[in-house]
Amino acid sequence: MRADWSLILFVAVIVLLIWFVLRGRKRGESPRLQVVIALIATVNDNLRIMETHRIDPRSTKKFRDGPWKSYGDRLDFLDAVTTAVMKESFTLISDFNATIDSAKKDKNPAILQGLPLEKLKEPLAKSKEGLATWLRLNLQSEMQRSRRGPFGF
């Protein structure tokens, strides 16, 4: 009788362990898919920040460029036009952020009133369009690439 309970307890522990392993394991997304999604989110945020600066020229909110800094050199899977437009966008963003930092440091938000935000609108829109096109064309294949078995094989 005691051996039966030990066996049941042993099997229950094994089943719970397997359940935790399978439940806790996320299927890996494609790194390319993660990069494109992060860049689309960044471009969308920057478009919103740009509108904030248009409405309130004294706004000191900086543009986001973290994902570009992280992934900018690993975009060889994107077409050359999208990559070039994104490079242009984030070069402008870097310049704008430097101006915003300067305005904050000098405590002179009047500097921000002359920011040429119209230069940024078209490159950001083209970047968003190029990334969305890549996502639309490659989403299915990227999702199939990331599918694996329960143990990652």
Side-chain angles (χ1 to χ4, degrees), residues 102-143:
S102 174
K104 283 182 180 179
K105 184 179 176 185
D106 297 340
K107 297 181 181 175
N108 185 7
I111 296 171
L112 301 177
Q113 291 179 352
L115 280 179
L117 295 172
E118 62 278 351
K119 286 184 179 179
L120 188 57
K121 186 172 185 172
E122 185 179 344
L124 280 177
K126 286 183 179 179
S127 297
K128 182 177 178 178
E129 182 182 330
L131 290 167
T133 300
W134 184 91
L135 190 60
R136 188 175 45 256
L137 295 174
N138 296 291
L139 181 63
Q140 192 70 18
S141 63
E142 292 295 318
M143 293 301 289

Side-chain angles (χ1 to χ4, degrees), residues 69-132:
K69 288 180 179 177
S70 298
Y71 305 125
D73 58 343
R74 292 186 263 165
L75 299 178
D76 55 345
F77 60 91
L78 292 174
D79 62 289
V81 173
T82 301
T83 305
V85 170
M86 288 186 61
K87 184 173 183 161
E88 177 187 353
S89 297
F90 285 98
T91 300
L92 288 170
I93 283 172
S94 177
D95 294 343
F96 288 160
N97 283 344
T99 304
I100 292 168
D101 285 339
S102 174
K104 283 182 180 179
K105 184 179 176 185
D106 297 340
K107 297 181 181 175
N108 185 7
I111 296 171
L112 301 177
Q113 291 179 352
L115 280 179
L117 295 172
E118 62 278 351
K119 286 184 179 179
L120 188 57
K121 186 172 185 172
E122 185 179 344
L124 280 177
K126 286 183 179 179
S127 297
K128 182 177 178 178
E129 182 182 330
L131 290 167

Side-chain angles (χ1 to χ4, degrees), residues 27-87:
R27 293 190 177 196
E29 287 184 3
S30 163
R32 298 188 316 176
L33 187 60
Q34 290 175 348
V35 168
V36 169
I37 290 171
L39 289 171
I40 287 174
T42 302
V43 168
N44 284 336
D45 287 346
N46 286 334
L47 285 168
R48 273 188 245 115
I49 292 168
M50 186 180 66
E51 287 304 315
T52 301
H53 281 282
R54 282 184 179 205
I55 293 169
D56 180 14
R58 304 182 116 206
S59 173
T60 57
K61 185 163 178 70
K62 289 174 63 174
F63 290 92
R64 287 189 55 212
D65 61 355
W68 173 256
K69 288 180 179 177
S70 298
Y71 305 125
D73 58 343
R74 292 186 263 165
L75 299 178
D76 55 345
F77 60 91
L78 292 174
D79 62 289
V81 173
T82 301
T83 305
V85 170
M86 288 186 61
K87 184 173 183 161

